[in-house]
């Protein structure tokens, strides 16, 4: 079955709304959608496609480049010369922000929570390569102080800083980005003549909100499965709140409730940032069947969730799943002992 022309008209209507929002071009899109027949055979289950958002084109790629298009458009309106951002030590978001700022001709100062490790690896290594100034802060409070201090220093030197943490767009920008990605995937599937059953994505609520809106607006009948990499907050309520905020911004009379959000907390393991055996296994399986590299912190855990659901018999061979690869691959290098 293919998606009918009424749905295609609906796509234009959604795109017309998104086009109103200021944006800078950063990501290489549309990213490829690739079938994974060896993975399907290894699991003995449904057809699986991989949406390659690890290939968004800047500094190892990933999902954050899509939302940075909206966030940095807002930043650029203030005409800064320096972007200052506080994030985690091994943040994928930090790496992609530095790469994006380089493309826009902006200097970046990263204030990362944690201590400088003895061996600089993974995302942090790429941050240095990209030329970011890196400041370490031991706590969240110290990080906030360092952000303000860096901004003051920059102003005192005659510069014009922008603290990205104070830009309120992160949630909505991610949802807009993944609403658009839903259309991209559905169009790619339509061209392949395949109707998807469900999407899987590593989610802490932002991008998933966009997929959920996309499902509603296109009436595509797909199930949206998020798998969280963190247990530090309640992802379903956050996802619903972000979906609703985004719907309001787009002028849509649509309300999503948290009971409609499917987000599996069962694959976090010991906590955010700590690999699990299942994530390592899933990362190995994707690599060995398809040559696709995941990571043990986000996408490996999401893949572990999808694989567990397939093994539990949730899907038949007639089902078609799309695994959204959100990036994060440099983490394999900071967890180098897991693979040999
Ligand atoms: C940030 C990140 C996510 C989570 O994205 P949200 O939009 O915050 O849910 C998933 N995967 C990777 C690799 C990430 O870097």
């Amino acid at each position: 079955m293919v998606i009918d022309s009424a749905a295609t008209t609906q796509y234009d209507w959604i795109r017309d709304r998104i086009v109103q929002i200021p944006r800078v071009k950063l990501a290489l899109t549309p990213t490829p959608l690739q079938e994974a027949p060896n993975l399907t055979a290894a699991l003995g289950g449904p057809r699986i496609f991989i949406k390659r958002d690890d290939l968004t084109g800047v500094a190892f790629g990933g999902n954050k480049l899509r939302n940075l298009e909206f966030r940095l458009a807002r930043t650029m309106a203030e005409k800064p010369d320096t972007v200052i951002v506080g994030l985690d030590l091994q943040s994928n978001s930090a790496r992609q922000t530095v790469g994006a700022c380089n493309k826009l001709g902006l200097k970046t100062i990263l204030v990362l929570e944690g201590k400088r490790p003895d061996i600089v690896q993974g995302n942090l290594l790429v941050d240095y390569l990209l030329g970011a100034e890196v400041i370490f802060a031991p706590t969240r409070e110290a990080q906030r102080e360092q952000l303000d201090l860096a901004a003051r220093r920059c102003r005192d030197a005659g510069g014009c800083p922008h603290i990205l943490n104070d830009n309120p767009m992160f949630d909505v920008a991610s949802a807009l980005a993944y609403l658009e990605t839903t259309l991209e995937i559905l169009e790619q599937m339509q061209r392949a003549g395949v109707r998807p059953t469900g999407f899987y994505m590593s989610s802490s609520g932002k991008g998933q909100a966009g997929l959920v809106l996309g499902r509603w607006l296109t009436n595509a009948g797909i199930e949206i499965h998020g798998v969280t990499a963190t247990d530090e907050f309640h992802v379903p309520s956050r996802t619903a709140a972000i979906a609703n905020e985004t719907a309001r911004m787009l002028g849509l009379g649509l309300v999503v409730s948290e009971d409609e959000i499917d987000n599996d907390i069962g694959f976090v393991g010991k906590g955010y940032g700590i690999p699990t055996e299942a994530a390592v296994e899933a990362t190995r399986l994707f690599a060995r069947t398809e040559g696709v590299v995941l990571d043990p912190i986000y996408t490996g855990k999401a893949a572990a969730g999808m694989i567990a659901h397939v093994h539990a018999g949730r899907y038949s061979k007639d089902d078609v799943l799309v695994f959204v690869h959100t990036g994060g691959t440099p983490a394999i290098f900071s967890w180098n002992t897991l693979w040999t």
Side-chain angles (χ1 to χ4, degrees):
M1 227 192 302
V2 292
I3 295 150
D4 61 322
S5 61
T8 311
T9 314
Q10 184 77 341
Y11 294 6
D12 292 341
W13 183 86
I14 298 166
R15 287 203 169 105
D16 284 347
R17 301 244 161 168
I18 295 177
V19 144
Q20 315 287 325
I21 300 160
R23 179 174 198 165
V24 289
K25 191 70 202 146
L26 295 168
L28 272 186
T29 55
T31 55
L33 180 76
Q34 190 173 41
E35 184 156 15
N38 299 334
L39 180 61
T40 292
L43 296 175
R47 279 176 84 177
I48 297 172
F49 288 73
I50 305 174
K51 177 62 170 169
R52 299 295 304 275
D53 269 14
D54 56 320
L55 302 179
T56 47
V58 179
F60 292 97
N63 61 343
K64 303 304 186 295
L65 283 161
R66 287 189 188 262
N67 70 52
L68 282 162
E69 293 198 344
F70 299 108
R71 294 163 69 206
L72 290 177
R74 182 154 176 156
T75 298
M76 293 301 273
E78 294 173 18
K79 303 201 177 359
D81 53 24
T82 305
V83 165
I84 306 171
V85 61
L87 286 159
D88 293 332
L89 190 70
Q90 282 292 356
S91 164
N92 295 311
S93 195
R95 161 179 50 84
Q96 289 165 78
T97 303
V98 185
C101 286
N102 285 358
K103 279 177 77 75
L104 297 173
L106 302 168
K107 177 186 152 80
T108 318
I109 303 175
L110 295 179
V111 181
L112 303 180
E113 192 185 351
K115 274 205 316 243
R116 188 184 201 276
D118 295 336
I119 298 171
V120 171
Q121 254 300 2
N123 284 309
L124 183 60
L125 176 67
V126 185
D127 296 340
Y128 279 110
L129 171 65
L130 293 168
E133 179 183 332
V134 183
I135 297 166
F136 297 92
T139 61
R140 283 267 161 216
E141 296 71 46
Q143 185 179 48
R144 184 65 234 189
E145 283 166 25
Q146 289 293 337
L147 288 173
D148 295 328
L149 199 64
R152 200 167 336 131
R153 255 197 303 124
C154 179
R155 267 192 301 272
D156 289 348
C160 182
H162 173 93
I163 299 179
L164 199 57
N165 300 63
D166 298 338
N167 175 324
M169 285 284 287
F170 203 173
D171 293 350
V172 166
S174 304
L176 288 171
Y178 278 86
L179 168 55
E180 193 175 70
T181 307
T182 309
L183 306 186
E184 247 179 65
I185 296 170
L186 291 175
E187 281 171 344
Q188 287 170 320
M189 283 301 223
Q190 191 175 7
R191 275 198 293 278
V194 183
R195 187 162 191 128
T197 313
F199 290 5
Y200 275 84
M201 183 162 80
S202 174
S203 162
S204 50
K206 300 192 289 291
Q208 189 179 354
L211 298 186
V212 168
L213 285 178
R215 189 252 326 250
W216 270 104
L217 292 172
T218 61
N219 226 340
I222 37 172
E223 290 175 2
I224 305 298
H225 306 283
V227 181
T228 179
T230 178
D231 55 8
E232 287 160 13
F233 48 85
H234 188 243
V235 176
S237 51
R238 184 165 187 239
T239 307
I242 295 171
N244 290 330
E245 189 186 346
T246 307
R248 271 196 302 280
M249 185 183 176
L250 292 172
L252 304 169
L254 173 155
V255 179
V256 178
S257 92
E258 72 173 75
D259 340 312
E260 300 166 61
I261 306 295
D262 178 44
N263 188 282
D264 198 330
I265 200 173
F267 296 86
V268 176
K270 291 210 178 73
Y272 172 70
I274 305 167
T276 59
E277 199 144 318
V280 170
E281 266 317 305
T283 302
R284 240 184 229 127
L285 185 66
F286 271 60
R288 291 177 187 193
T289 54
E290 300 293 343
V292 171
V293 180
L294 303 178
D295 79 286
I297 303 303
Y298 286 102
T299 55
K301 289 181 181 178
M306 180 179 75
I307 290 166
H309 294 169
V310 170
H311 282 154
R314 276 210 205 177
Y315 302 106
S316 77
K317 286 189 196 302
D318 296 331
D319 285 312
V320 181
L321 300 179
V322 177
F323 181 82
V324 182
H325 187 336
T326 46
T329 48
I332 63 163
F333 302 111
S334 44
W335 290 98
N336 62 313
T337 57
L338 296 175
W339 318 112
T340 53

